[in-house]
Amino acid sequence: MKILMPLTEGFEEIEAIAVIDILRRAEIEVVVAGLKEGLVEGAHKVKVLPDISLEKIDSGDFDGIILPGGYPGYVNLGKDERILNMVREMDRAGKYVAAICCAPYTLIKAGVLQGRKATVSPSGKKEVSAAAKYCEDRVVVDGNLITSQSPGTAMEFALKLVEVLAGEEAMRKVKAQTLAICMGD
């Protein structure tokens, strides 16, 4: 599996870094692509150097895309036509499309949430409810679409992604290694 995580100014650090770390522990290749060259500053002033810039990748080389939230990160993702097109193309191809916190807003803009089950940060409930079947669950899987609510659900989101992408055994291994506890455990 090869997964793309685009980063833009204002991304939510916990949602990005926790997910990257957990997926890489499960030996899932995660390519972090900045929307521009150089360091990207998160919502809480943490600076991250992406692996590559978005302009240098071919989205067809990936099995899925994961969008972190954060303000103004999710707004910036939703304004970028390259991201919207990648989300549409991956969804049409049945590849994995995942978003956490307010990043499902980008999925709405891309037109991939219509009639599907999804969750979002409580602040985005109205918008997601208008476009999708809103669920209160902390992590929601609807076919190739995976959504989650907030920085506080990032570990559960990451572990669910591992389970979907690499299997339950890989998820249990990483969960044990990290002593992760999820709601319902």
Side-chain angles (χ1 to χ4, degrees):
M1 284 285 162
K2 187 175 180 182
I3 302 297
L4 174 66
M5 179 179 285
L7 289 187
T8 185
E9 297 297 316
F11 70 93
E12 169 51 55
E13 293 90 339
I14 292 172
E15 295 165 358
I17 301 304
V19 171
I20 293 164
D21 181 272
I22 293 297
L23 268 62
R24 287 181 176 174
R25 286 173 190 256
E27 299 181 11
I28 297 168
E29 184 179 357
V30 180
V31 176
V32 180
L35 269 58
K36 61 177 183 58
E37 289 281 347
L39 290 171
V40 181
E41 187 172 300
H44 305 283
K45 309 300 181 205
V46 175
K47 294 178 182 172
V48 173
L49 181 61
D51 302 317
I52 194 167
S53 66
L54 196 65
E55 65 209 24
K56 294 179 180 174
I57 63 118
D58 178 352
S59 62
D61 293 339
F62 294 87
D63 299 299
I65 187 168
I66 302 170
L67 306 177
Y71 183 79
Y74 82 91
V75 175
N76 293 334
L77 288 173
K79 288 180 179 177
D80 194 299
E81 280 300 320
R82 299 171 300 172
I83 297 296
L84 295 175
N85 288 332
M86 285 180 191
V87 167
R88 289 180 194 115
E89 289 167 13
M90 288 193 190
D91 186 61
R92 272 194 299 268
K95 294 182 177 185
Y96 296 100
V97 175
I100 185 169
C101 198
C102 287
Y105 164 82
T106 304
L107 305 182
I108 292 169
K109 286 195 73 175
V112 302
L113 273 192
Q114 212 57 29
R116 298 173 80 180
K117 293 188 310 183
T119 196
V120 68
S121 171
S123 64
K125 181 178 178 179
K126 181 180 175 184
E127 291 82 359
V128 168
S129 295
K133 297 173 187 169
Y134 175 78
C135 297
E136 294 281 341
D137 298 341
R138 293 165 63 88
V139 180
V140 174
V141 178
D142 185 348
N144 66 318
L145 180 72
I146 303 138
T147 53
S148 190
Q149 295 179 336
S150 70
T153 64
M155 282 295 284
E156 290 169 69
F157 179 59
L159 289 166
K160 180 54 74 175
L161 287 164
V162 169
E163 183 179 1
V164 169
L165 299 171
E168 187 174 347
E169 185 177 325
M171 181 274 294
R172 288 188 187 282
K173 181 179 176 187
V174 172
K175 189 173 179 185
Q177 287 172 347
T178 59
L179 302 178
I181 298 173
C182 300
M183 294 294 289
D185 282 354

